[in-house]
């Protein structure tokens, strides 16, 4: 039975098929800003990233949303909560909801944003492959960026939106002709929260160091409407991917740290 986001195959039943989904360091979480500890040594080790601009990146319809494969040997994410290891960009994707009143996976003091972009990186210092890294507690680092709905469309997101008509059905893929620079997805304010968590989709491996930026970026309602036109099926039947976010999971006794870069 394929997992999804409907009542019969959604987050509430994932743990039946994917035991890790019931673990103690699951993601997303509600970011309770009053308990976030300002961790001084995060300030010292500044989070640094360097991405190459790339054209002809492949975008695919996974059936659960769109995903851009960006294996970037030249990209590096390091510092902040990542210790001495270097993480490399593997892919980026997005989560959204049926309306713009919901859609993000992380929430901030109970507030959901209209969507959330995930830039997925893996620890190339310690591991030989993405798949191997996903089996270790410090294997992946995911940057989360919230979407706010506004009047100005996001040019970088527009490069994604313009390809969605070619990947309407699950399994379809195409190359993005435009040059994509992942740096442009990041907000201008670089303050973030960080905690130890998991993949937010099955198999929900507990292998992610989460870094969630405080400041959202702006997209338009029209851009989100285009996301919701993707089909979860490979053809004939049309079941639109109108929501693909997991609700917050218990933080438990995990530390939630913040850095006001
Ligand atoms: N939403 S997420 O936590 O960023 C995230 N989930 C997954 C996942 F379930 C996978 F199977 C996978 F291969 C990934 F690369 C990611 S990345
Ligand atoms: Zn994600």
């Amino acid at each position: 039975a394929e997992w999804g986001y409907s009542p019969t195959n959604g987050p509430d039943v994932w743990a039946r098929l994917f035991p890790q989904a019931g673990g103690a360091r699951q993601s997303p979480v509600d970011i309770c800003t009053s308990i976030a500890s300002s961790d001084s040594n995060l300030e010292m080790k500044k989070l640094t990233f360097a991405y190459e601009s790339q054209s002809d990146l492949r975008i695919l319809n996974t059936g659960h949303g769109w995903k851009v494969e960006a294996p970037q040997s030249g990209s590096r994410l390091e510092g902040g909560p990542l210790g001495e290891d270097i993480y490399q960009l593997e892919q980026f994707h997005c989560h959204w909801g049926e309306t713009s009143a919901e859609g993000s996976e992380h929430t901030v003091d109970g507030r959901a944003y209209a969507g959330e972009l995930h830039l997925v990186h893996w620890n190339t210092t310690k591991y030989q492959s993405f798949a191997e890294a996903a089996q270790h507690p410090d294997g992946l680092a995911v940057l989360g960026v919230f979407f706010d709905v506004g009047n100005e469309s996001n040019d970088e997101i527009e490069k994604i939106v313009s390809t969605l008509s070619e990947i309407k059905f699950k399994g379809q893929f195409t190359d993005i002709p435009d040059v994509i620079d992942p740096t442009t997805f990041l907000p201008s304010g670089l303050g973030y929260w960080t905690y130890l968590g998991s993949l937010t989709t099955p198999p929900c491996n507990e292998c992610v160091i989460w870094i969630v930026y405080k400041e959202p970026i702006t997209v338009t309602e029209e851009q989100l409407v285009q996301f919701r036109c993707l089909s979860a099926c490979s053809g004939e039947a049309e079941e639109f991917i109108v929501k693909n976010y997991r609700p917050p999971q218990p933080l438990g006794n995990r530390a939630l740290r913040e850095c006001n870069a």
Side-chain angles (χ1 to χ4, degrees), residues 93 95 105 118 200 210:
H93 63 272
H95 301 265
E105 298 211 296
H118 288 158
T200 67
W210 275 97

Side-chain angles (χ1 to χ4, degrees), residues 88-258:
Q88 176 181 302
L89 182 64
E90 173 72 12
Q91 55 108 317
F92 57 90
H93 63 272
C94 199
H95 301 265
W96 59 85
E98 292 177 85
T99 71
S100 302
E102 57 185 44
S104 64
E105 298 211 296
H106 293 88
T107 52
V108 180
D109 294 331
R111 181 225 154 131
Y113 285 87
E116 188 171 329
L117 175 74
H118 288 158
L119 294 150
V120 183
H121 307 72
W122 62 281
N123 188 329
T124 56
T125 303
K126 285 187 176 171
Y127 309 113
Q128 309 311 313
S129 71
F130 175 86
E132 183 197 351
Q135 307 306 318
H136 299 274
D138 59 354
L140 303 189
V142 182
L143 297 186
V145 184
F146 291 122
F147 287 156
D148 242 354
V149 173
N151 295 328
E152 67 273 7
S153 84
N154 182 294
D155 295 345
E156 214 66 13
I157 293 289
E158 195 53 33
K159 295 175 185 173
I160 306 279
V161 167
S162 60
T163 68
L164 297 183
S165 58
E166 297 172 48
I167 57 167
K168 186 172 168 48
F169 295 105
K170 178 179 177 182
Q172 291 185 317
F173 57 84
T174 189
D175 288 346
I176 306 172
D178 310 285
V179 171
I180 297 270
D181 174 5
T183 318
T184 60
F185 289 125
L186 301 180
S188 45
L190 293 178
Y192 60 84
W193 294 286
T194 183
Y195 74 99
L196 299 180
S198 75
L199 302 177
T200 67
T201 58
C204 299
N205 301 26
E206 298 187 326
C207 64
V208 182
I209 298 172
W210 275 97
I211 296 167
V212 179
Y213 282 104
K214 294 186 174 183
E215 184 186 321
I217 61 172
T218 301
V219 301
T220 58
E221 185 62 35
E222 292 69 33
Q223 291 180 311
L224 291 172
V225 163
Q226 292 305 311
F227 289 0
R228 301 181 190 118
C229 293
L230 286 176
S231 176
C233 311
S234 47
E236 68 287 336
E238 255 188 358
E239 176 202 336
F240 296 119
I241 306 173
V242 291
K243 66 183 283 194
N244 57 5
Y245 66 92
R246 187 188 195 184
Q249 304 299 307
L251 182 66
N253 61 2
R254 288 179 277 178
L256 175 65
R257 301 185 292 166
E258 71 176 336

